[in-house]
Amino acid sequence: MSVLTTEPDAVPAGEEPPDTGERHRLTALTGLAALSLDAMASVAYGPEAIVLVLAAAGAHGLGFTLPVTLVIAALLAVLVASYRQVIAAFPDGGGSYAVARTHLGARTSLVAAASLVLDYVLNVAVAVTAGVAALTSAFPSLYADRLWLCLAVLALVTGVNLRGIAESAKAFIVPTVVFVGSVLVLIAVGLFRSHPVSTATAAGHASVVAGNASGVGALLLLKAFASGCAALTGVEAIANAVPSFRVPRVRRAQRAEVALGAVLGLMLIGLSVLIGRFHLQPVAGVTVLAQLADASLGHNWAFYVLQFATMILLALSANTSFGGLPVLLKLLARDNYAPHVFALKADRQVHRHGVLALAVVSAALLVFSGGDTNTLVPMFAIGVFVGFTIAQVGMVRHWRLDKGPGWRGKALLNGFGALLTGVAAVVVTASKFMEGAWLIVVALPLLVAAFLAVHRAYGRIGERLGLGRIPEAPHRDRSLVIVPVSSLSRLTSEALTAAASLGDEVRAVTVCYPDPEDRAQLHALERAWAEWDPGVPLVRLACARRTLGRPIAAYVGAAAAEPGTRVTVLIPEAEPERLWQRLLQNQRGAVVAHAVRRETDAVICRLRFRLS
């Protein structure tokens, strides 16, 4: 098979090549930094979530930490392999939404999209509050100001992303490398330790291991598995944001996805091995990662480097949402399920409206929670498990329809992944329902209903506009231009000159009121108009009530009712020399424009006369 390609036009010597926007996109390395912070940071709370659940069965239960982690790592491998295929099959991004839309129908795809939207928003709020919580743990005097600190961090991440996803990736490479390097060093050093080098961090803190240990049953293991799966949040972000990568996009995104899976899996398994090696028991007020750092590295500068890197990465892991959600909203807008403004792209390949919308909603969540992580965590991760399950089921159908080489094995792999993530979604929802997960159960159908309402609205608009049909041929109507005036000035002359250039007939209108002072002003205007004699009639619009817009709108409506007439309302306005001088304007033009727009179909033209 031959492939036809077109070579780009040669660039003359000495001239800059045209900017295609590629330099503002991601490489495999910067993509890993920009879109994997959520997943990387999850090692700070994923193993801890497993340990806290197994602690209910005492020291014997903690012995199952590594087996549960290995199952989660196996699921991670399944998800990475699946999303690698999703990237190749759906290079326009969208992840589970794109898969479901193609293979499972529009309604299912909207459930996937809604779950992703909720997960992205909650990820921002949880990441920021967790990062600030780490800071206030080190500096307790800042605890009272944690909400303002959360909003400040959110503003910082938003500002960096408004400069472009490539710029944000460069800014986050260093903290990502420091965190991952510190954890890997912790694991490597810990494997050569026969016992903890220090337990100073946990000293004086009460153990949360149950004294009256219960048996380790299937339900407890399922709950530990579901809780530990929080470490898998963010795995789908790269597949959602494929268009953000440089050419060849698919290959770069796949490399980033595999690298994410390898690094994350290595860290999860390594930390779980050390938990068993040091016989670590969870204690109140100290994270498991901090205890491992203490046991492996000692209570020294290396311990504080890891803690500080963890704090920074947790706060900045919100960047994963800023890379994935705007692309998802762009796809929803393209399919008429979200406002089209989300499909617009600014300089530096930024979907600015998606970034700002995410920032506003996340700020509202932060205010609602008061900057408290525990208020948000029960709602976290449910959405992503729903998205995982839908994507896996969709890929099973993809392989059944594609039937390429080895399709049965690939379908079996995706089916097994769907079973695991589906079980995780059910267990997490059931176990966390009364702790706040019910909000997600309610929010999902509401968000799907909102998508459908937007789609129906665009359908009605498209029907009225005749989109997809050839319209009737244009024709010329008689053009009438109406100019509201209140006094004579150079602005009036400019407005009538512009009106005469636009239409076949021009009429000036002025509103008169019954008050003696207003009648005197009207008579003065009529005398000055007659003396000026611009060749344009001045029409008096009597109005008993003191309103400006309605009488002009009524006159415009009556004029537009004349057969074969197109009416334009030209509103003259002075443009001040200084920005602050706009406060001195009377806003008469805005009042008239609003009334005419609301009550008629006339064309509105606002003439700006610059005073500078």
Side-chain angles (χ1 to χ4, degrees), residues 516-538:
E517 182 180 350
D518 294 310
R519 287 202 302 269
Q521 290 179 354
L522 173 64
H523 294 324
L525 174 60
E526 289 176 330
R527 285 195 301 270
W529 195 274
E531 182 180 348
W532 182 35
D533 192 16
V536 174
L538 178 63

Side-chain angles (χ1 to χ4, degrees), residues 198-218:
S198 170
T199 57
T201 303
H205 293 267
S207 173
V208 298
V209 177
N212 50 346
S214 60
V216 181

Side-chain angles (χ1 to χ4, degrees), residues 398-408 410:
H398 172 77
W399 297 126
R400 289 186 62 187
L401 295 175
D402 181 69
K403 292 191 175 178
W407 71 271
R408 286 186 174 86
K410 295 175 182 177

